[in-house]
Amino acid sequence: MDKKENSKLSRRNLLKVIAAGGAAATVGVSGCTQQQQGTTTKYACPYCDKEFESQSKLKTHIQEDHPQEISDIKKSGVITWEPEKCASCSRCLMACSAYHDGSISYKISRILWEDDDYIGQFEFRRPLLCQQCDSPECFYACPIEGAMYIDEETGARCIDEEKCTGCGECVEACPFEPTRVLMKADGDAAIKCDLCSDREGGPVCVEVCDRNALTYVTSEEREGGT
Amino acid sequence: MDGYVGKILKVNLDNGTTSEIDTSNYVPDYIGGVGIAYRLVWENMDEDLTEFDPGNPLVFMTGPCSGTSLPSTGRTEISGLAPEGYPEPWVANSGFGGDFAAKLKYAGYDGVIIVGKAEEPVYLLISEDGVEVKDATHLWGLGTLKAQELLARNHSDDMGAALIGPAGENKVRWATVQARTENAAGQGGYGAVMGSKNLKAVVTIPGDTEITVADPEAVIEESKKISEELATPNQLEGELETEESQWTTRHQSCGFSACTGGFAGCLPVYYSNVPRKFTGSGTVSGVKYCVGNCGPWLYNGDWGDTNTALEVNKLCDDLSLNHWEAFAGLNWFLCNAYNEGELNELMGEELDMNEDAPHVYPDTTANVGFSKEFAVKFLRKIAHREGEDADILAEGTPRAAEEMGLEEIAKETHKHGYGPHWDGRYLHFIHYPVWVVSALAWAVQPRDPFNQQHGYPERLPSFVEEWAGDTNIMGTETLPYDTVVDLAAEVYGTENALTGWKNTELGYKDKEIPEIWHENRQLMKGSVPACDRQFPLIIDPREDDNIGDYEAELRMFNAVVGTDWSLEEMYEACEKIWNVYRSCHVLQGRTREQDETVIDYFKQPSDWPDEPQELDPDKFRDLLENYYEERGWDKENGWPTRDKLEELGLSDVADKLEEKGKLP
Ligand code: SF4
C-alpha cells in the first residue's frame, strides 16, 4: 500500500460504487457486471461527480456525456466456455500455467477452478475465465503507470509483471467473484489472463482443450457482436 | 529434477511420527508410480512380513507427469503386500485415476508410505501447513460417500481423498481404496490394509506447490498430439449431452471419473442424479463402462436397466468392495458351486441360481441369477462380515473355497487369488495364440496381469479384421490378420509376435518376447504414469505405416523430466523395476512351481472355436524357460541371478536374497 501512496495517481478516478448495505461492490459499465443482492448501491460516475440509482442509468449517462473517456480503450478479445462441452478435466488450467510459468499449479493458473459443493456426488467443476471487460476495472484501479496495459493486437487487459508492485488494487477491483486477477504466492506481482497475446497460435487453453469447450473470440468479432 | 515435487512422506501410525524421503534418491532410475512404489516396498519388507502386520508398507505413489496437462496422467499407484493374493499375499499393485495424484503433488509430496497401526481410527491430513494424524472415530463405519461429505465440509471441496468404507474397515480381502466417487484401486485388497492400520482416509489439500516441467512447449504440444492419437471415432462421436431421461448424462467423463490432464480416449459416460431405488434414498452418480456397470452379472443380466446397474455399482463404491471380484469373480465361483450341487443355501436363503450360466464367453447375457434384492443384501453383509457365510466370503474366493471344501471349483475361476481377466475364459474371449501369451503373463505375475497389459490380449486383437469385424469396438477400421502379424513383428521385434493362428505350430514360438515387451510397457505407463487401458498405441490404421505412436509415454516423460531417454534406456529402467518386483515375490516364497500352477487353469475345456483349445503343458514349460532365460533368471526357480541383478545396479537386492537363501 505504501507503494501506491508514493506513486503518482495518474489514472482517472476509480469507478466506484458506494455500498450502503455493507459489502462493497464495483460494477462494470458494460461487458462485465455483477449484481449484488441485499445492498442499496449507488453508482458513481468515474468521470464526474454524478451518482445514479441504477447501473443502466450510469451506463446511459457515460455513453451520452463521456463518449470520449470510454472510447479510448480498445475492446478486447475474450475466451468463451461452453459448459455442455466441458469434461472438467482441468487441462486448460494446467496448460495455462505451463505456458506462462513453466510450471503447473492450480494456484498460478490464470484460469480459476471452481468445485461445486460435494454432497455424495459431483455436480460440476468449472474453469472460470477472465471476461476482458469493455470497461476494465482492474486496469483503472492500477496506480502504477504501465503496470497494466492493453495489448494492442488482442486488446487483452494485461499486467506487466516487471512493473507491477503487487499492491493488489486490481485484484480487489475485479468485479467477479472469485476475482479473476490473482496475486502470486510470493506477493511480488498480480497475474491475470493475457489471452496469450505474445503466443503464436493464440490462447494455449483453447488450443489444448480437446473437447472444444473453449473458443477464442477476437476483439473484432466481439465488436461485431458475434 | 523437473516433474517431481521432491519429497515422499513417510508416516508411522504406531506413534504418529512423520518423516520425509528425498524423491531424488529414486529418480530418474525408478521413474515414479509403481517403479518407486515397488522399490519402497522392497526396502520395507522381509520374508516374514504378512499382509495384516502393522509393518506392511502401504505406498501411494504419483509419477512425474501426474498433475500435468498430459493426457490421462492423473493416476496414483498403490503397492504393498496384497491381502487378495493367494496362497501368499504377493506384493502387487493397484491404481486409480482422478485428481488425488495432482492434489498430493500440489500439497508438496510425490508419494506417501504408511507403516504401523493406529490404536484408534484415524485419517491422515496432508497439507502445506503440515501433516496431521487425526481422529476418525466419527467417520468409522460410514460409507465412502458420506465420509467424504464430512471430510469435504471440514476441509475443502477441493481436497483429494483416498479412503475406505465398511469393507476396508472389516478387512475384507477384496476391499478397495476409493477415491472421490468414481475411482478406486480395485484389485489387491489394499482397502483391507488400510483397515488393518485403522486408517480411514488419506486427505490432501492442494497448496502452492508447483510442478515444474522441463520443456513447457513440448508438454503443451504432446498434450494435444497424444490426445488426438488416443481419440477414436466412437469416442469423438457426439457432443456431451446434458440430459438423458431423468438424470444427467455427460459423455467422456475425464474430470469426474477418470484423470486430470485431459481426454485420453476415455469411453466412460458419467451420470449424476441417478435415483436410488432400493439401495437407499437420494441420488448417486456413476459411470457406465467396463466393470463400472457390470452389476447385471451378479443378478439378472438385465443390461437395459441402467438405473439398477449404476445403483449396485455405487453401493460397492460406498462399501469399498471390488466390483471385479463381486461381478466377475466370486459370483462365477458361487454359480459353479451351485451348478455342481455343492451349494444350495447362502446367508439363510435358499438359492435359485442360473443353471445355464455359461462358464465361457461370448455369451454376455451370462449372469448368476441372484435377485436384485439378494444381490444388495449379499454385498452389504460381506462388507460388514455379518453372519458366518459373509465372514467366509469376505476372505476372498480361494480362501473361502478352502473353508467350504471347494478348492477344486475355485480353481476353475481364480488364480493367485484373482478372478478371470483377459485369459480367453469367462468374459474375455480371445483366440489362440493370444491366450498363450496371456497364460505366460498370468504365470509370472502376482495378480491378474491385464490391468496394465490390456495391450496384447485386448487391443492388438481388436485390429484384426477376422476377429473384430470391419470396424472394431472403438469404431476404428481393422486390418487383415496377416497384416497385423507383420506390424506386430515390427513393433515387438520378433516375426512371431502374433503368429500361430493360421500355423498352429508357431503358437508358442518366441512368445516370451511380446510378454516382456508388455511387461516393460506396464511398468512404463504405471510409472510415468499414464492410462492402463489406452496405452501403448500399437496399431493405428490412420497412420501411413499403420503403426501407432508407441513412444508417446516416453516423450511425455522426457518432456516433463528433462531427460533424453531412448526407448532402450526406458526399457532398462523397466527391467530394473521388474527385477525388484520379482525379488519381492521371491522373498515371499515365489518359485517356478507357483508360476506353473496356471497350467491347470489354462488346460480346462472351453468353447473356443479355434484349435487347439487348451494349453500344451510341455510347450508351455519350454516357453516359460525361454522367458526365464530372456529375463536372466534361473530356470529351476525363476529367480533373478546375481549377474542379472548386478548388471542392473541391484547388488543390494542380490545381497539380501543371498542372505535369505533365495539367490540361485
Ligand atoms: S480443457 Fe476444456 S474440457 Fe478440460 S476443463 Fe478446460 S474447458 Fe473443460
Side-chain angles (χ1 to χ4, degrees):
Chain A
M1 286 297 141
D2 293 351
K3 283 179 186 160
K4 181 195 161 190
E5 269 147 32
N6 294 338
S7 68
K8 52 181 168 23
L9 259 172
S10 62
R11 193 80 60 199
R12 64 191 75 150
N13 281 340
L14 306 186
L15 180 60
K16 285 199 178 77
V17 170
I18 301 139
T26 37
V27 175
V29 174
S30 68
C32 44
T33 61
Q34 188 178 20
Q35 302 295 342
Q36 293 278 315
Q37 282 165 357
T39 57
T40 317
T41 49
K42 283 198 171 166
Y43 297 85
C45 175
Y47 314 116
C48 64
D49 292 338
K50 289 187 178 151
E51 282 181 12
F52 298 86
E53 293 305 316
S54 74
Q55 187 202 340
S56 62
K57 282 186 182 146
L58 170 62
K59 210 166 166 177
T60 316
H61 160 75
I62 292 174
Q63 278 160 0
E64 284 171 1
D65 298 345
H66 305 285
Q68 273 321 109
E69 279 88 339
I70 57 168
S71 66
D72 63 347
I73 291 190
K74 180 182 162 64
K75 232 182 202 312
S76 174
V78 69
I79 296 161
T80 59
W81 170 73
E82 289 168 83
E84 59 284 356
K85 289 186 180 171
C86 178
S88 299
C89 68
S90 74
R91 169 185 274 186
C92 46
L93 285 75
M94 293 166 166
C96 173
S97 69
Y99 169 68
H100 287 96
D101 297 281
S103 65
I104 299 177
S105 158
Y106 286 10
K107 296 285 167 74
I108 54 168
S109 175
R110 275 82 171 150
I111 303 174
L112 277 77
W113 193 238
E114 187 178 62
D115 285 75
D116 274 346
D117 287 352
Y118 168 79
I119 306 169
Q121 63 174 315
F122 290 106
E123 284 302 322
F124 215 78
R125 300 168 179 173
R126 55 181 75 78
L128 304 175
L129 297 129
C130 171
Q131 295 305 300
Q132 309 291 353
C133 305
D134 288 356
S135 174
E137 289 160 49
C138 51
F139 174 78
Y140 294 142
C142 177
I144 310 295
E145 190 71 56
M148 275 207 83
Y149 63 95
I150 308 295
D151 183 85
E152 278 174 23
E153 202 177 318
T154 63
R157 286 70 175 107
C158 305
I159 295 168
D160 182 338
E161 282 185 43
E162 302 278 285
K163 293 189 180 147
C164 174
T165 60
C167 75
E169 288 292 322
C170 54
V171 178
E172 274 169 43
C174 174
F176 287 90
E177 174 57 44
T179 171
R180 306 297 198 264
V181 190
L182 307 172
M183 191 56 74
K184 280 186 147 179
D186 58 15
D188 274 359
I191 50 175
K192 74 175 287 299
C193 171
D194 59 0
L195 296 176
C196 297
S197 292
D198 297 331
R199 184 176 185 272
E200 222 177 289
V204 68
C205 55
V206 175
E207 200 173 291
V208 297
C209 174
D210 42 34
R211 301 302 314 164
N212 296 324
L214 301 173
T215 310
Y216 177 45
V217 181
T218 64
S219 56
E220 292 75 29
E221 287 166 336
R222 206 181 183 192
E223 193 81 63
T226 50
Chain B
M1 186 158 265
D2 291 318
Y4 308 94
V5 294
K7 294 171 296 183
I8 297 164
L9 175 67
K10 185 165 186 177
V11 181
N12 184 342
L13 292 175
D14 285 337
N15 50 23
T17 55
T18 61
S19 54
E20 286 173 359
I21 302 167
D22 275 348
T23 311
S24 60
N25 297 346
Y26 298 96
V27 296
D29 309 30
Y30 289 93
I31 310 169
V34 293
I36 298 180
Y38 296 157
R39 177 72 209 194
L40 287 171
V41 172
W42 166 260
E43 289 174 6
N44 284 277
M45 72 181 283
D46 61 46
E47 74 277 23
D48 305 324
L49 192 69
T50 61
E51 61 279 32
F52 294 137
D53 274 347
N56 182 9
L58 180 66
V59 183
F60 293 77
M61 272 309 304
T62 70
C65 297
S66 309
T68 74
S69 59
L70 289 159
S72 81
T73 50
R75 296 189 57 78
T76 305
E77 292 290 342
I78 300 182
S79 189
L81 273 63
E84 203 172 348
Y86 179 84
E88 300 299 328
W90 309 117
V91 169
N93 83 294
S94 191
F96 57 88
D99 61 2
F100 182 85
K103 289 177 175 176
L104 182 61
K105 285 176 81 174
Y106 298 150
Y109 294 100
D110 291 308
V112 188
I113 169 167
I114 301 157
V115 295
K117 177 186 176 180
E119 265 171 43
E120 300 293 333
V122 295
Y123 70 98
L124 192 61
L125 179 66
I126 301 169
S127 77
E128 286 178 344
D129 299 332
V131 177
E132 285 175 82
V133 177
K134 294 179 77 86
D135 176 37
T137 34
H138 63 300
L139 302 172
W140 205 253
L142 294 181
T144 61
L145 302 177
K146 187 72 191 172
Q148 288 186 90
E149 200 175 308
L150 298 184
L151 286 166
R153 204 179 293 161
N154 255 339
H155 300 296
S156 157
D157 285 318
D158 196 25
M159 69 179 184
L163 79 169
I164 55 170
E169 294 172 9
N170 294 314
K171 299 197 277 278
V172 174
R173 283 182 184 270
W174 43 289
T176 58
V177 176
Q178 183 73 22
R180 293 279 200 154
T181 61
E182 314 307 330
N183 285 282
Q187 303 285 75
Y190 291 110
V193 178
M194 284 182 75
S196 74
K197 294 184 178 308
N198 268 328
L199 178 64
K200 178 73 180 179
V202 179
V203 175
T204 170
I205 310 295
D208 290 326
T209 301
E210 297 170 17
I211 304 166
T212 61
V213 294
D215 187 345
E217 256 325 295
V219 168
I220 291 162
E221 283 309 310
E222 295 296 355
S223 298
K224 287 188 303 180
K225 176 175 159 60
I226 298 169
S227 282
E228 277 163 25
E229 291 167 350
L230 289 162
T232 55
N234 281 358
Q235 292 148 350
L236 290 177
E237 226 168 62
E239 295 291 279
L240 295 169
E241 293 167 20
T242 45
E243 290 293 323
E244 188 194 83
S245 61
Q246 74 271 47
W247 58 72
T248 308
T249 308
R250 300 182 56 76
H251 291 298
Q252 265 101 59
S253 46
C254 304
F256 296 94
S257 66
C259 288
T260 54
F263 183 56
C266 247
L267 282 163
V269 184
Y270 174 82
Y271 294 80
S272 61
N273 301 322
V274 180
R276 263 183 163 156
K277 290 181 178 157
F278 60 94
T279 58
S281 56
T283 59
V284 291
S285 59
V287 167
K288 193 173 171 180
Y289 186 52
C290 189
V291 73
N293 67 324
C294 289
W297 283 326
L298 180 62
Y299 50 93
N300 62 6
D302 182 358
W303 293 91
D305 181 2
T306 306
N307 200 107
T308 302
L310 291 170
E311 228 185 311
V312 170
N313 172 37
K314 196 50 60 184
L315 178 68
C316 286
D317 291 341
D318 201 25
L319 297 168
S320 71
L321 275 179
N322 179 354
H323 298 180
W324 195 258
E325 180 64 358
F327 308 152
L330 176 62
N331 60 326
W332 301 128
F333 159 71
L334 293 173
C335 196
N336 288 342
Y338 174 85
N339 285 324
E340 288 177 39
E342 299 287 352
L343 184 73
N344 304 310
E345 210 192 286
L346 195 64
M347 299 174 176
E349 284 190 30
E350 201 177 313
L351 289 175
D352 177 19
M353 295 181 82
N354 187 355
E355 286 170 24
D356 302 321
H359 289 212
V360 179
Y361 198 80
D363 184 0
T364 45
T365 59
N367 66 84
V368 307
F370 284 170
S371 70
K372 289 188 222 172
E373 290 72 19
F374 184 71
V376 168
K377 173 173 152 181
F378 171 82
L379 295 167
R380 282 213 173 107
K381 278 185 180 276
I382 291 174
H384 291 96
R385 287 187 182 262
E386 193 186 313
E388 205 190 332
D389 289 356
D391 197 35
I392 291 172
L393 297 179
E395 287 298 296
T397 302
R399 289 178 178 85
E402 259 180 30
E403 192 70 28
M404 297 156 88
L406 302 176
E407 292 103 311
E408 288 309 311
I409 296 177
K411 283 181 187 166
E412 291 174 30
T413 49
H414 284 66
K415 195 71 269 169
H416 307 315
Y418 302 86
H421 192 199
W422 286 107
D423 42 40
R425 307 183 64 243
Y426 291 84
L427 312 163
H428 300 119
F429 171 67
I430 46 177
H431 292 261
Y432 173 87
V434 178
W435 53 257
V436 173
V437 177
S438 210
L440 181 58
W442 271 91
V444 298
Q445 302 202 28
R447 52 159 286 191
D448 60 315
F450 297 112
N451 69 313
Q452 290 188 346
Q453 268 182 239
H454 278 102
Y456 193 86
E458 187 197 11
R459 281 294 147 109
L460 191 59
S462 77
F463 290 102
V464 175
E465 191 181 331
E466 290 89 331
W467 298 343
D470 291 345
T471 48
N472 63 20
I473 189 169
M474 286 101 66
T476 305
E477 77 175 90
T478 53
L479 303 163
Y481 170 77
D482 291 334
T483 307
V484 179
V485 167
D486 291 344
L487 295 170
E490 206 167 313
V491 174
Y492 293 97
T494 166
E495 59 178 10
N496 287 311
L498 192 61
T499 51
W501 185 55
K502 287 189 174 168
N503 178 357
T504 52
E505 284 302 302
L506 297 173
Y508 292 77
K509 191 161 171 44
D510 300 334
K511 294 299 182 291
E512 72 279 8
I513 305 293
E515 172 52 21
I516 289 173
W517 194 88
H518 278 285
E519 285 168 357
N520 287 335
R521 304 303 304 216
Q522 69 155 283
L523 295 173
M524 182 166 156
K525 62 186 168 177
S527 302
V528 162
C531 183
D532 284 349
R533 191 81 190 257
Q534 307 296 337
F535 292 103
L537 291 152
I538 306 168
I539 305 267
D540 189 345
R542 292 168 301 186
E543 297 291 332
D544 292 341
D545 60 0
N546 287 319
I547 291 185
D549 180 10
Y550 62 84
E551 295 199 355
E553 306 96 296
L554 172 70
R555 292 200 314 278
M556 299 205 280
F557 173 77
N558 282 336
V560 168
V561 178
T563 38
D564 189 21
W565 283 8
S566 63
L567 204 51
E568 285 65 38
E569 287 169 287
M570 176 56 93
Y571 288 170
E572 275 166 33
C574 294
E575 189 182 11
K576 182 170 179 170
I577 297 165
W578 196 247
N579 276 269
V580 171
Y581 196 35
R582 181 71 173 184
S583 296
C584 292
H585 307 137
V586 171
L587 202 57
Q588 288 183 289
R590 188 82 169 208
T591 60
R592 176 170 175 168
E593 202 183 326
Q594 265 103 21
D595 291 358
E596 284 193 10
T597 57
V598 300
I599 292 175
D600 282 348
Y601 181 83
F602 282 89
K603 266 186 69 187
Q604 295 172 73
S606 68
D607 290 340
W608 295 328
D610 330 306
E611 296 291 338
Q613 289 211 347
E614 57 174 66
L615 202 71
D616 179 324
D618 293 332
K619 286 185 181 168
F620 184 73
R621 286 194 183 94
D622 288 346
L623 174 60
L624 192 58
E625 288 196 358
N626 291 344
Y627 171 87
Y628 292 147
E629 201 175 306
E630 191 70 24
R631 276 283 178 211
W633 300 350
D634 85 315
K635 290 184 189 172
E636 196 186 327
N637 280 312
W639 289 351
T641 59
R642 177 171 283 280
D643 281 354
K644 177 47 82 179
L645 293 170
E646 286 187 345
E647 176 197 318
L648 296 167
L650 293 170
S651 48
D652 62 319
V653 174
D655 292 346
K656 185 160 159 185
L657 289 174
E658 184 162 29
E659 190 190 313
K660 309 291 178 189
K662 306 226 158 151
L663 197 68

